[in-house]
Amino acid sequence: QVLIKQGKAILEDVPAPVVAENEILVHVHYSCISTGTEISGLKTASVPLYKRVFKEPHNVKKVLDMLKDKGVSGTVARVKSKLDTGYPTGYSASGIVLETGDKITDIKPGDRVACAGAGIANHAEFIAVPRNLMVKVPDALSLQVASTITLGSIALQGIRRAKPELGNFIAVIGLGILGQLSTQLLKANGVRVIGIDIDEKRITTALSLGMDRGLNSSKDNIVNEVIRFSNGYGVDSVFITASSDSNDIINQSMEMCRRKGKVVIIGAVGLNLKRDEFYKKELDVLISTSYGPGRYDDK
């Protein structure tokens, strides 16, 4: 299994998971690397612990509560143990079912399945997956392609949230893998799509796959160009598939929208909204919950 320790990805031998009554044991054939999410995890893991605490102040209370309960030495030992152990990475995989829990009736050993879930569909030889986070793979589909299921699910849930209609104008901010998938799904819905990124290669790739127009946010006035693209009215929706701590992206998205438009947040961005634009246009700001319905159901 691949584990993240102190800013590095390492390979270790670990015990195979034990299957619960509503889980399936899967022998993984392929797992998909989500570069943006996993590189971010590597960078976070390399930051000294005290800096992480200041960057994530909500963890301060947890540490203080632990100090009260276990004392200084106990807290230090527990934190050090957690850091030394490392943590799993990966959330999209495919493989063959080896064993099923007692409550599983529609899946059997030998079935080909695609699996999702952070901390579940890991980069590992064997994974235990709850029934709501896996699906059978059609015979015509390879396990290699099926291993990308989580990325496709995330993009698809963003489409569901926006409910695009034939002929809509939609802007996609961030043309990484999720932006590329979102753009293609939107085109399949009969939508006119303008994409925005700082990487010319990503823009070129999206254009070659059917995107109508591309903008480089480091060169173009993206708000003006998006409004021009939508015949002066503003787009019906903006999809944010970028990752940034800045609040500029969410506020620029609102400026790009027409009245009563939608901003769909798929990536992780700053959310300090400028109320005037939001209020004046009566916009809807929608959060897309990762892989969609069932993602956070109990096992």
Side-chain angles (χ1 to χ4, degrees), residues 18-30:
V18 177
V19 177
E21 59 184 9
N22 197 38
E23 290 182 335
I24 298 98
L25 181 65
V26 178
H27 180 200
V28 175
H29 283 218
Y30 295 94

Side-chain angles (χ1 to χ4, degrees), residues 1 13-17:
Q1 179 170 355
D13 288 326
V14 300

